[in-house]
Amino acid sequence: MEKKKYSSYAQIEHDLEILKVEKEIHYQRMLLSIEKTKESIIPSKTVSFVETIYDNVFSGSIGTIIKMAIPYVINWFINRKRGY
């Protein structure tokens, strides 16, 4: 790469501005690439589907009863005597 010779500060400022814009472009491309990777790893439709099912199951009076019973069931599994 050949060194560039400048004859004025305006030329230097112009090249610095170009480099700044190129840097910002590369940064935005990197962010977009990261977002695409996250979207491909985390299936958002599946997550929203599970959330919908959770909301439907745990809504209303039956949902309240289930929410109250879950800690007791977990506690029972933890504290039960293991029979062989």
Side-chain angles (χ1 to χ4, degrees), residues 7-41:
S7 61
S8 69
Y9 285 110
Q11 289 177 340
I12 295 171
E13 290 295 325
H14 182 264
D15 281 354
L16 287 174
E17 187 65 31
I18 290 172
L19 290 173
K20 183 179 176 183
V21 170
E22 287 176 349
K23 178 183 170 185
E24 183 64 27
I25 289 170
H26 290 296
Y27 179 73
Q28 292 298 329
R29 282 184 182 169
M30 182 183 66
L31 290 179
L32 181 62
S33 175
I34 290 170
E35 284 299 318
K36 285 183 179 181
T37 303
K38 285 186 348 188
E39 287 175 1
S40 67
I41 291 174

